[in-house]
Amino acid sequence: MTPVPLDDVEFIGADLRRPECVLANARGDIFAADWRGGVAHLRPDGSSALYAGTCADIGGALLPNGVALDRDGSFFVTHLGAEVGGVFRLTRGGQARPVLREVAGEALPPTNFVLLDRAERMWITVSTRKRPRDRGYRAGCDDGFIVCLDARGARVVADGLAFANEVQVDARGEFLYVNETFGRRMRRFRIAAEGALTNRETVAEFGPGTFPDGLALDAEGSLWVTSIVSNRLIRVDPDGGQTLMLEDSDPKHLAWVEAAYRADEIGRPHLDAIKSRKLGSISSLAFGGPDLRLGYLGCLLGDRIARVRLPVSGAPPIHWMW
């Protein structure tokens, strides 16, 4: 499959703040997490809106990282506070209320991502239990975990992950995939009865400069991974084969980050001062457009959403027709 030229990347939106997670639907709406306190909505006609909310439970505005769209048009967002996390429901009118603040009697740490699947389950990731979170930017730090929330309640279904990030469930609902950002690998679990995760296996391991964050499925069953820092977009086949589809990075900067990673010294400066031509540390991918071949890229450092045409269609997400 032919890589995508960086020059083909264009942008939509303006004045967004840390649009880490991005969603698209069949109507042409684009939604992105926004650290102005909620979710930014980029409409097909070029107009935009911000749905922002506060919650007494956290003493102020939400700091959304992951976002999921619900059937009624409201959002589930994960709160990435300095000390506390959780999952909240945010309405378009700006009302925010907690959905999940603790599991097994323990408060959720800063919370990374949330996904709804076709079985009406919610999958939630916590990257690390460390405070501050940059103490978890280590290959050997494996205290991330996955929570399943359904009608039976919430429980930890996988633990011991090296910075658990985005997850995806395959089209048949048989497997759950998760990126471990600082473990630099993608794991797969079989989904057993009542949402239990079994048969942990490594699907792909990533080399120097790749820090897997976002995860999306295409119509052919392959997974697309976004890498922060190096601005790489990688297609991973079901058998683990990898194709680099897009990159925007500076070799010298990547070498500096890589040296810090190997020395267990990586920190915010390595993630926040990247060098690139166009992209701002891409962190998520949503397939959109009439044929699901437009790739919308969320990011950690930019104030817009990158858009590029991809050579294969995405798998329609659960919220595609909502």
Side-chain angles (χ1 to χ4, degrees):
M1 191 170 287
T2 305
V4 179
L6 182 60
D7 288 341
D8 288 359
V9 175
E10 56 186 8
F11 293 90
I12 61 170
D15 301 322
L16 308 180
R17 188 174 302 167
R18 198 182 181 275
E20 203 275 353
C21 182
V22 61
L23 307 174
N25 67 13
R27 297 174 53 185
D29 297 302
I30 305 299
F31 303 102
D34 193 299
W35 271 25
R36 288 175 293 176
V39 176
H41 180 183
L42 307 181
R43 302 187 181 95
D45 64 5
S47 64
S48 63
L50 175 68
Y51 310 122
T54 60
C55 185
D57 279 42
I58 56 175
L62 293 168
L63 292 178
N65 198 71
V67 179
L69 181 63
D70 201 5
R71 293 179 184 274
D72 63 1
S74 64
F75 306 93
F76 296 108
V77 300
T78 56
H79 177 58
L80 200 69
E83 295 295 330
V84 298
V87 180
F88 295 78
R89 182 187 288 274
L90 174 67
T91 70
R92 300 195 186 195
Q95 289 78 43
R97 65 174 179 81
V99 173
L100 184 67
R101 296 302 313 279
E102 62 178 40
V103 176
E106 294 188 15
L108 279 175
T111 308
N112 189 286
F113 187 68
V114 57
L115 175 80
L116 294 178
D117 72 8
R118 287 173 172 78
E120 303 294 332
R121 292 175 295 217
M122 185 180 295
W123 302 96
I124 301 154
T125 63
V126 171
S127 298
T128 179
R129 295 175 171 91
K130 301 290 186 187
R131 307 285 207 290
R133 290 177 82 242
D134 58 10
R135 294 176 56 204
Y137 300 171
R138 307 287 183 269
C141 181
D142 57 357
D143 64 348
F145 59 94
I146 301 172
V147 173
C148 180
L149 173 62
D150 59 15
R152 290 176 292 276
R155 63 271 185 205
V156 174
V157 289
D159 209 335
L161 299 168
F163 213 84
N165 216 305
E166 290 200 11
V167 297
Q168 284 292 335
V169 173
D170 76 306
R172 294 184 177 181
E174 295 178 340
F175 295 99
L176 179 137
Y177 294 83
V178 58
N179 277 336
E180 293 179 80
T181 301
F182 294 102
R184 295 218 284 216
R185 59 182 168 253
M186 181 196 299
R187 301 272 203 183
R188 177 171 62 198
F189 297 85
R190 182 173 290 278
I191 303 174
E194 300 184 353
L197 296 183
T198 65
N199 295 33
R200 179 189 310 220
E201 60 181 325
T202 299
V203 177
E205 294 188 275
F206 302 100
T210 297
F211 299 93
D213 190 328
L215 192 57
L217 285 160
D218 71 24
E220 298 178 359
S222 292
L223 295 112
W224 290 65
V225 173
T226 59
S227 169
I228 56 173
V229 182
S230 57
N231 288 308
R232 289 174 180 160
L233 182 60
I234 301 168
R235 188 179 193 237
V236 180
D237 298 329
D239 63 0
Q242 301 176 33
T243 303
L244 180 61
M245 298 302 301
L246 179 68
E247 181 172 7
D248 183 13
S249 62
D250 176 81
K252 290 184 178 179
H253 179 76
L254 282 191
W256 176 60
V257 174
E258 191 64 25
Y261 175 76
R262 291 196 303 268
D264 281 345
E265 295 175 351
I266 195 167
R268 291 310 316 177
H270 303 93
L271 274 60
D272 293 343
I274 72 164
K275 298 183 184 299
S276 61
R277 281 177 52 198
K278 299 180 76 169
L279 300 175
S281 200
I282 58 174
S283 52
S284 67
L285 168 68
F287 286 95
D291 57 1
L292 279 160
R293 285 184 59 188
L294 287 177
Y296 294 89
L297 298 166
C299 65
L300 299 179
L301 301 178
D303 59 1
R304 300 176 295 170
I305 299 296
R307 179 176 65 189
V308 66
R309 188 155 182 82
L310 299 174
V312 65
S313 296
I318 183 176
H319 62 259
W320 183 242
M321 300 304 299
W322 296 353

